[in-house]
Amino acid sequence: MASHNTGGRLPQISRLRADQAIGSTNANTMGNYPQRTRQQKGLLQQFTPLDLSPSWERGEVIKVRGVRVIALSGHATYSDREYVVEQAVGCIEVIGNRVATRATVLLIGFTLAAEIPPATFRMTEDEAIGTMTLPASCLSAYIMTANSPAAYFRMGGDGSLNALATDASSLRTHSAIA
């Protein structure tokens, strides 16, 4: 086995003086950085903290992580997590990534009933749940959309922001949120 003999001495590490580190550039290491004077030490712009808390009032866009579908006869009532669909033909449970500390679920029910309840949104201690109820004729289109590999959903506000799409950018448009 080969060994390196340094003669009991460690290699010397060169040290930069303070005037060499600030204000001067070395073509090999600092060529991409602008030169700075001694008065420009420190940050050139003020630090602004980034707010990463969810904005449920404006709607959160969430990646679909899983989809569960149930097909029904249309003669019975379906319920899940306080969500009730009369004359249910089917229900899609769209499970999303966690937002902050909450699990996210969008329940989409499909009904034969003439009266369709409005969409809702509510939060519990550990879940954010959105609901939408649609006519039975929409079931197959929503199953295909939810099972798309690039599916996203939006929910928040009073529920009127709830939506499902195959692209996140379409859910972030100002006209859809306003």
Side-chain angles (χ1 to χ4, degrees):
M1 178 154 107
S3 66
H4 297 281
N5 187 359
T6 60
R9 295 182 340 171
L10 294 175
Q12 291 291 323
I13 298 175
S14 64
R15 294 183 184 226
L16 291 176
R17 293 187 321 260
D19 62 335
Q20 290 175 321
I22 298 173
S24 64
T25 61
N26 181 334
N28 294 333
T29 60
M30 300 291 287
N32 293 333
Y33 296 99
Q35 286 189 343
R36 299 170 69 185
T37 64
R38 285 188 175 278
Q39 291 80 20
Q40 292 177 321
K41 287 193 286 186
L43 298 176
L44 295 177
Q45 99 185 46
Q46 182 178 0
F47 172 73
T48 305
L50 182 61
D51 183 13
L52 296 175
S53 60
S55 58
W56 293 110
E57 296 81 32
R58 292 190 344 254
E60 278 292 315
V61 176
I62 303 154
K63 173 77 171 128
V64 173
R65 202 181 77 215
V67 177
R68 296 192 316 178
V69 178
I70 184 169
L72 303 163
S73 67
H75 298 292
T77 300
Y78 175 79
S79 66
D80 184 10
R81 291 184 184 90
E82 299 179 18
Y83 175 55
V84 178
V85 181
E86 300 292 331
Q87 295 180 336
V89 171
C91 189
I92 302 172
E93 181 182 47
V94 183
I95 303 158
N97 291 329
R98 294 183 78 81
V99 174
T101 61
R102 291 185 168 89
T104 56
V105 177
L106 178 63
L107 299 171
I108 308 171
F110 300 88
T111 183
L112 293 171
E115 284 288 318
I116 295 179
T120 64
F121 174 74
R122 67 182 176 83
M123 288 191 291
T124 65
E125 188 175 304
D126 58 345
E127 275 187 319
I129 304 166
T131 66
M132 295 184 346
T133 307
L134 301 167
S137 60
C138 299
L139 177 60
S140 61
Y142 274 79
I143 290 173
M144 287 176 49
T145 304
N147 282 306
S148 167
Y152 285 83
F153 64 96
R154 179 184 63 216
M155 61 183 186
D158 61 354
S160 61
L161 299 175
N162 298 353
L164 179 67
T166 57
D167 181 42
S169 63
S170 62
L171 295 173
R172 290 189 174 102
T173 59
H174 293 293
S175 61
I177 295 173

